[in-house]
Amino acid sequence: EDLKKFFLSGNTLHGPLLTQEPSDSIFPLSTDDKQVFINCKAKGNPPPHYRWKMDGGEINTQSDPNYSLVEGNLLINNPHVIDHGGVYQCIATNTFGTVVSREAKVQFAFLQNFGRKSRNTVSVREGQAVVLLCGPPPHYGEIKYSWVFNGQRSFLQQDARRFISQMTGNLYIAKVEASDAGNYTCAVRNMMTNATVFSSPTPVVVRRDAVMGEYEPKIEVQFPDTLRVSKGSSVKLECFALGNPVPSISWRRADGNPLPGKIKINHFSGVLEIPYFRPEDAGVYECVAANSRGRNVARGQLVFHSKNAHMAIDANLQWECKAMGKPRPTYKWLKNGQPLTAEGRIHVEAGRLTISRISVLDSGMYQCVAESEHGAVYASAELKVVASPPDFTGRPVKKATVIRRGGEVVLECRPHASPRATVSWWRGGELLNGSQRQTILQDGTLRITNVSASDGGRYTCLARNHFGTSSSSGTLLVKEPTKILVPPLSLDATVGQSIVLPCEVSSDSSLIPIFKWFFNGKAIDFSRREHFEMIGGGFAGDLMVRNIQLKHSGKYVCMVHTEVDTVSAAADLIVRGPPGAPEGLAVSDITDTAVRLSWGSGPDNHSPVTMYMVQARTPISIGWQTVRTVPDSVPGQMMHATVKDLNPWVDYEFRVVAINGVGVGEPGTPSKPVRTAAAVPKVAPVHVSGGGGARGELVITWEPVPEEQQSGEDFGYVVAFRPLGSSTWIQTVLASADASRYIYRNDSVAPLSQFEVKVGVYNSVGEGPFSPVVTLFSAEEEPTEAPSRVWARAVSASEIEVYWEPIPSESGSGKIIAYEVLFWEEGSEQSEAERVRVIDTTALLSGLKGSTVYLISVRAQNSAGLGPCSPAFNNTTKKPPPSQPPGNIEWNLTNSKIFLNWEHVKALENESEVTGYKVVYRQNWHSRTTVLETNKTSLELQIPSGEDYLIEIKALTGGGDGTSSGPIRIPKMSSKFEILCSWN
């Protein structure tokens, strides 16, 4: 590590050192996944160049449009499940040496949903067999099939009677039992993405009308007759039979040789697996299904698969064929179905065939036959031999290649030629013989490293073999390299913030840089406009992340692409947020006032939890309340606490909230309600008081104890009282938790007797405390005397005011709380009197008839009731006002004055005399009213101009206001205008 730091510290020349390596990745494919980014970066001086391998083969990033290099990183464009999944390895090289990265497995997977169409019911007899079809949806990647029975949380277990084929997904039940009736759902899981989809249920009905008899095995699941297996691969053979009784499954080789020790047999013998397939594993395999009614055999041949060969003329061919068996097999070779004779260029040794300096005549189909007394095994391959002069028609030299100064360029020369052509390269008219920077590779490719401006120009590849000569040319254009001047920097952010990751470059003025950002290896889609936005322009492509969330933590890569090069810079963003919800809350050690809580920590979201807060609620509490704990403050590293000061016999729910430096997190899932233990009540009733009531009563009241403080079942009250000075308590039990009042009745109790009173509590556990002793009075006597000096005066035809002197407090009538005035018309009975209750010593009687005699009486009231009435006296209401309104109204509007005139109202004999007039006026209907009184039949009003006015006139009498003239509307007008009008 110290040596590495030394190499990286300055300009010392050194070999490559890897600073970033690829890692295993699974990329679920969707419509949004257009690019995949695999990291690789190395330090070196001179800077290293990079190559990549997939599944051991070289990746040509120059010619393959799906691959491109971003510095050392590999960018896969439009990835395809089959073409681009595999094992990738990065190789970094400079003049001092080469280093290789770890191998990284890259996989792609997808799994669509089942259709929603319901499935038909399957009806089957007991003892019969049944096959339920899965019908999986479109998918790619390794798939595992399971079945769910009646919606149970666990998958159906396979046994000798039930088998799930991993080839088709179908469920096979060899012999149906009554318990098999129900709904079956096929579950398909993609082993790469871990996604699972479920089919619609298939109902299975077991008929009881008949039972299926016994029958011999019928092999329903079997492997192919012939199966070609590549070297080193793993093969699984499935075999399952239906039958009654349930058949047993066994495996064997047809040649009698024992099964290899590496073979695995599982799922009650239904699956045979051969890992790491070798030539000696080839042969015929048999599956035997047997029961008491018979047996059946399924067999298939595993063939070791070798690949065909396409060879150039004059090349050397060597093929090897191996088979295992006892006795050891013999070999022979066939060409186009005829025995191949070993002579001249053809040499056969056991299973090895060698042909030197092949010609066109050697083309054909070849077969290796391995024979023993048990039979023969064939392996086939095709040999194609090609002979032709060099031809650039299909693959000419690239017409124009653009490269950055200081970079590395590869000019390919790949004519079609057989035998292989020899290649030479020319620049202009100068033959290139190779140099430290210019190298002609074995395949004819010209590689130029550390490209300079002088390397630009026209290059020609000349190819020849003994069948002919051909050439192809192209131009090399050299541009200035792109450099990231302001790279993104790793930083921390808090949830809700917005940050900018800069990315600014310098580049050749003739090139247009294109900026792309990647988040955790996937290209950012800026069209969604949710959190990401690229800002800047030209040579800047900064990334703004708005309203950052926890999901935005990860690696961000700015990739800048031009026509000649691609550069990138990476930064790590850590997002800190309030902690996640605590998990797994458990309640234990429940007593009457305390419980013990324990829980597990949730995610701290990059900021350590500093403390936990415990909350509780009851059915009658207002929301969640923070409760007291031991310890008082629960530190972040402690996952338990004791909640104290709880009320006995109360249902509590608890939850825990975590707090860190960023803020308060989401509360955890509440516990199930738990009830604290019962205990003797600890809280006595409050606000004990009373008094009043009827004669001979002692009224006692209190505020009931709330339910959460009753501490147990069968809650009630004990009311105790005694006359002041007595030593003996009288007690009464009230078996009701809602009681709040008790009345003790005894006619011998004198009015306003003093009693000492206290109220206690009890429940099924025992008796609790009493309230403090208070002194109360028994009920008093009704007032014994009537109010004095009662008199009245008629206010109008409909109102009389009544007055009286209050009853003195020393009169023995107790505390007077109100007075009641009774009034009735002369000639009727007092029992028909109307009543008015007041607390003062005056009352207004309204709604009366005019010119009518009323009898009036007053009596006092205390807490015990009403006293005697005062002697009745009479009073007469005044005559009613005239019913005739003012008439012949005239008005004159001049400037801002209104002159009013009207006719005098004459009262009838039974009406009150007119004493004057009341003029009421206001602007429109809703403004404030103004009232003027006059004893004349005319009036002058001073009003502002420009507004409408409404005017009413009433007669004034001792019996009240007379009938109104009705509203008179005076229209608005100019101050220079005069209106004369009369109103009848």
Side-chain angles (χ1 to χ4, degrees):
E1 186 66 28
D2 292 339
L3 184 62
K4 181 177 179 181
K5 292 178 181 176
F6 170 74
F7 281 145
L8 300 181
S9 62
N11 295 321
T12 308
L13 296 173
H14 63 86
L17 293 170
L18 287 168
T19 58
Q20 292 183 17
E21 296 192 57
S23 56
D24 291 345
S25 302
I26 296 177
F27 293 97
L29 280 190
S30 69
T31 55
D32 297 328
D33 296 326
K34 300 298 184 186
Q35 294 179 319
V36 168
F37 197 78
I38 310 175
N39 278 84
C40 181
K41 199 167 249 186
K43 293 284 188 181
N45 193 4
H49 62 268
Y50 299 87
R51 293 180 293 123
W52 281 83
K53 287 185 176 182
M54 187 193 87
D55 293 337
E58 292 279 347
I59 296 175
N60 191 331
T61 57
Q62 299 294 324
S63 61
D64 192 330
N66 292 107
Y67 292 106
S68 57
L69 278 178
V70 180
E71 295 181 316
N73 308 308
L74 183 65
L75 185 66
I76 308 177
N77 297 292
N78 300 313
H80 187 268
V81 168
I82 298 176
D83 297 341
H84 300 116
V87 176
Y88 287 77
Q89 190 173 34
C90 171
I91 302 134
T93 303
N94 70 4
T95 54
F96 288 94
T98 298
V99 292
V100 295
S101 73
R102 66 179 295 277
E103 291 184 337
K105 189 174 185 181
V106 175
Q107 298 172 291
F108 301 90
F110 69 88
L111 174 61
Q112 296 183 11
N113 288 315
F114 279 91
R116 291 293 90 196
K117 185 178 179 181
S118 60
R119 301 194 171 198
N120 296 330
T121 299
V122 176
S123 180
V124 62
R125 287 186 293 175
E126 191 170 350
Q128 195 177 0
V130 69
V131 180
L132 302 181
L133 305 182
C134 178
H139 61 272
Y140 189 85
E142 182 184 354
I143 292 295
K144 181 178 179 181
Y145 296 96
S146 305
W147 283 78
V148 177
F149 178 57
N150 280 343
Q152 295 173 359
R153 298 183 66 178
S154 57
F155 292 122
L156 185 74
Q157 294 299 309
Q158 299 182 68
D159 50 30
R161 196 172 62 86
R162 298 177 295 189
F163 179 78
I164 299 172
S165 170
Q166 295 303 316
M167 301 301 169
T168 63
N170 298 339
L171 170 62
Y172 300 81
I173 303 178
K175 175 190 171 188
V176 172
E177 298 175 354
S179 60
D180 292 328
N183 289 319
Y184 291 80
T185 302
C186 180
V188 182
R189 178 185 177 193
N190 191 308
M191 302 302 288
M192 293 183 184
T193 65
N194 221 19
T196 302
V197 295
F198 296 87
S199 72
S200 299
T202 300
V204 172
V205 176
V206 179
R207 293 162 46 195
R208 302 295 183 90
D209 54 344
V211 177
M212 185 75 175
E214 294 185 351
Y215 62 97
E216 68 178 17
K218 176 189 175 186
I219 296 180
E220 189 71 17
V221 180
Q222 63 185 75
F223 45 98
D225 292 336
T226 302
L227 186 63
R228 295 181 178 275
V229 186
S230 301
K231 178 181 178 180
S233 63
S234 176
V235 62
K236 288 184 180 181
L237 306 180
E238 288 186 347
C239 183
F240 188 74
L242 312 179
N244 186 5
V246 176
S248 63
I249 303 293
S250 60
W251 294 86
R252 67 190 183 192
R253 288 186 65 148
D255 58 9
N257 288 322
L259 296 173
K262 65 181 179 179
I263 282 181
K264 303 174 185 177
I265 299 176
N266 46 34
H267 289 315
F268 290 86
S269 303
V271 178
L272 173 77
E273 181 178 0
I274 308 175
Y276 315 112
F277 196 83
R278 306 288 297 169
E280 57 267 25
D281 297 327
V284 177
Y285 286 79
E286 294 181 339
C287 161
V288 182
N291 67 8
S292 59
R293 306 296 295 183
R295 59 186 298 186
N296 259 312
V297 179
R299 58 178 57 86
Q301 184 175 21
L302 301 185
V303 178
F304 185 78
H305 179 56
S306 60
K307 308 216 173 177
N308 298 333
H310 293 238
M311 308 277 303
I313 195 168
D314 288 338
N316 296 324
L317 168 71
Q318 180 173 300
W319 270 334
E320 188 169 5
C321 175
K322 278 188 179 181
M324 297 296 292
K326 291 183 182 180
R328 186 180 297 276
T330 60
Y331 299 91
K332 66 178 180 180
W333 287 84
L334 306 178
K335 178 186 176 187
N336 296 327
Q338 301 298 319
L340 185 64
T341 305
E343 59 181 8
R345 297 178 298 107
I346 302 174
H347 180 68
V348 177
E349 181 182 352
R352 180 178 299 163
L353 170 65
T354 303
I355 306 177
S356 57
R357 297 180 59 245
I358 59 176
S359 68
V360 175
L361 296 177
D362 294 319
S363 297
M365 292 298 301
Y366 288 76
Q367 289 177 292
C368 170
V369 184
E371 296 179 297
S372 72
E373 62 187 44
H374 298 291
V377 178
Y378 289 74
S380 303
E382 181 182 10
L383 173 63
K384 289 185 178 180
V385 182
V386 185
S388 64
D391 181 8
F392 284 97
T393 304
R395 293 181 293 196
V397 173
K398 191 175 180 181
K399 291 301 179 187
T401 302
V402 184
I403 186 67
R404 66 176 176 86
R405 181 178 59 80
E408 177 181 304
V409 66
V410 173
L411 301 178
E412 290 187 338
C413 181
R414 300 175 62 194
H416 183 272
S418 184
R420 182 176 172 179
T422 58
V423 168
S424 60
W425 278 91
W426 298 73
R427 181 174 178 270
E430 177 187 357
L431 175 65
L432 302 179
N433 293 318
S435 65
Q436 185 176 1
R437 292 191 305 109
Q438 296 176 342
T439 307
I440 300 176
L441 305 180
Q442 280 190 340
D443 62 356
T445 299
L446 173 62
R447 184 170 76 190
I448 307 174
T449 60
N450 194 18
V451 174
S452 65
S454 61
D455 289 323
R458 186 170 182 80
Y459 288 78
T460 301
C461 172
L462 183 65
R464 66 163 55 89
N465 65 12
H466 52 260
F467 291 104
T469 302
S470 184
S471 66
S472 181
S473 300
T475 302
L476 178 65
L477 303 172
V478 182
K479 302 286 186 178
E480 285 299 308
T482 303
K483 295 180 180 179
I484 295 182
L485 299 179
V486 184
L489 299 176
S490 297
L491 50 82
D492 294 0
T494 302
V495 167
Q497 287 184 332
S498 296
I499 57 106
V500 174
L501 295 175
C503 190
E504 187 176 335
V505 301
S506 64
S507 184
D508 192 289
S509 59
S510 65
L511 302 176
I512 300 175
I514 298 174
F515 291 84
K516 284 189 176 180
W517 282 88
F518 292 81
F519 172 47
N520 288 341
K522 294 184 68 174
I524 295 176
D525 181 4
F526 290 101
S527 65
R528 294 184 177 179
R529 297 185 175 275
E530 292 177 339
H531 296 276
F532 298 113
E533 180 184 354
M534 194 186 304
I535 59 177
F539 291 93
D542 301 342
L543 174 66
M544 172 172 279
V545 189
R546 302 181 187 276
N547 188 21
I548 288 178
Q549 302 300 308
L550 292 169
K551 64 182 179 181
H552 296 135
S553 288
K555 181 182 291 294
Y556 290 80
V557 177
C558 173
M559 185 187 78
V560 187
H561 175 74
T562 68
E563 186 182 357
V564 300
D565 58 1
T566 302
V567 294
S568 69
D572 291 313
L573 175 62
I574 296 175
V575 180
R576 307 187 190 281
E583 303 169 349
L585 178 61
V587 185
S588 60
D589 301 346
I590 302 170
T591 69
D592 58 343
T593 60
V595 298
R596 176 179 170 83
L597 303 182
S598 59
W599 60 88
S601 62
D604 66 4
N605 294 330
H606 305 293
S607 180
V609 175
T610 56
M611 66 175 291
Y612 290 99
M613 180 169 58
V614 179
Q615 297 177 332
R617 71 177 176 186
T618 68
I620 56 177
S621 66
I622 301 175
W624 291 91
Q625 308 290 330
T626 301
V627 291
R628 298 183 64 188
T629 58
V630 177
D632 290 338
S633 178
V634 184
Q637 65 274 18
M638 182 180 287
M639 305 297 170
H640 59 84
T642 297
V643 182
K644 62 178 183 177
D645 297 342
L646 300 176
N647 290 322
W649 199 247
V650 172
D651 290 330
Y652 284 95
E653 290 177 275
F654 298 97
R655 72 180 186 185
V656 181
V657 180
I659 301 171
N660 64 10
V662 179
V664 179
E666 289 293 318
T669 302
S671 69
K672 292 183 178 179
V674 295
R675 176 168 288 188
T676 49
V680 172
K682 295 189 174 85
V683 177
V686 296
H687 300 148
V688 177
S689 61
R695 184 184 176 101
E697 291 182 344
L698 173 63
V699 178
I700 304 170
T701 61
W702 60 91
E703 187 175 306
V705 174
E707 183 180 348
E708 67 268 24
Q709 294 179 336
Q710 294 175 4
S711 301
E713 292 182 294
D714 303 329
F715 183 83
Y717 298 94
V718 179
V719 181
F721 55 94
R722 64 186 178 187
L724 186 64
S726 171
S727 60
T728 303
W729 290 95
I730 303 170
Q731 290 193 350
T732 298
V733 175
L734 301 181
S736 170
D738 299 324
S740 62
R741 180 183 179 92
Y742 174 69
I743 300 176
Y744 171 69
R745 293 182 176 87
N746 190 328
D747 292 339
S748 64
V749 176
L752 296 177
S753 297
Q754 287 187 299
F755 283 83
E756 290 182 313
V757 176
K758 59 182 180 180
V759 182
V761 290
Y762 72 93
N763 62 18
S764 58
V765 179
E767 292 189 10
F770 277 91
S771 66
V773 176
V774 297
T775 301
L776 300 180
F777 288 89
S778 65
E780 57 191 349
E781 237 179 350
E782 297 90 344
T784 56
E785 61 180 82
S788 60
R789 301 183 64 184
V790 181
W791 65 283
R793 71 180 184 89
V795 179
S796 67
S798 61
E799 294 175 327
I800 295 176
E801 277 190 339
V802 184
Y803 305 88
W804 60 90
E805 290 289 333
I807 296 177
S809 56
E810 62 273 10
S811 66
S813 293
K815 182 180 179 182
I816 303 302
I817 58 175
Y819 291 94
E820 188 177 69
V821 180
L822 293 81
F823 59 100
W824 64 98
E825 288 186 41
E826 188 177 42
S828 62
E829 297 297 327
Q830 183 175 347
S831 59
E832 300 173 10
E834 294 185 59
R835 292 170 170 80
V836 173
R837 187 174 183 271
V838 295
I839 57 174
D840 296 324
T841 57
T842 180
L844 179 64
L845 309 181
S846 57
L848 308 178
K849 298 178 182 178
S851 303
T852 304
V853 178
Y854 284 89
L855 296 172
I856 301 170
S857 178
V858 183
R859 59 183 175 181
Q861 181 183 5
N862 63 14
S863 61
L866 292 164
C869 290
S870 65
F873 69 97
N874 59 41
N875 191 273
T876 304
T877 54
K878 295 184 177 182
K879 292 180 182 180
S883 58
Q884 180 69 30
N888 295 326
I889 301 171
E890 294 181 351
W891 55 269
N892 181 1
L893 177 59
T894 303
N895 295 333
S896 59
K897 291 182 180 180
I898 297 177
F899 297 95
L900 289 169
N901 286 283
W902 59 91
E903 191 176 81
H904 176 65
V905 177
K906 293 182 179 180
L908 301 178
E909 185 178 347
N910 61 345
E911 294 177 339
S912 295
E913 288 296 324
V914 175
T915 59
Y917 296 91
K918 181 187 291 184
V919 178
V920 180
Y921 66 95
R922 64 185 181 277
Q923 293 179 5
N924 297 319
W925 291 100
H926 306 295
S927 60
R928 187 170 59 86
T929 297
T930 302
V931 179
L932 293 177
E933 292 184 2
T934 178
N935 54 8
K936 299 179 181 178
T937 58
S938 62
L939 189 67
E940 178 183 302
L941 300 178
Q942 186 82 22
I943 59 173
S945 61
E947 293 291 344
D948 287 354
Y949 273 83
L950 295 171
I951 297 176
E952 291 181 75
I953 304 173
K954 302 176 183 179
L956 286 175
T957 74
D961 292 348
T963 303
S964 170
S965 64
I968 303 165
R969 182 172 174 270
I970 311 294
K972 63 183 178 181
M973 58 167 291
S974 168
S975 59
K976 295 183 179 180
F977 199 76
E978 181 176 36
I979 296 179
L980 294 172
C981 190
S982 64
W983 188 274
N984 295 312

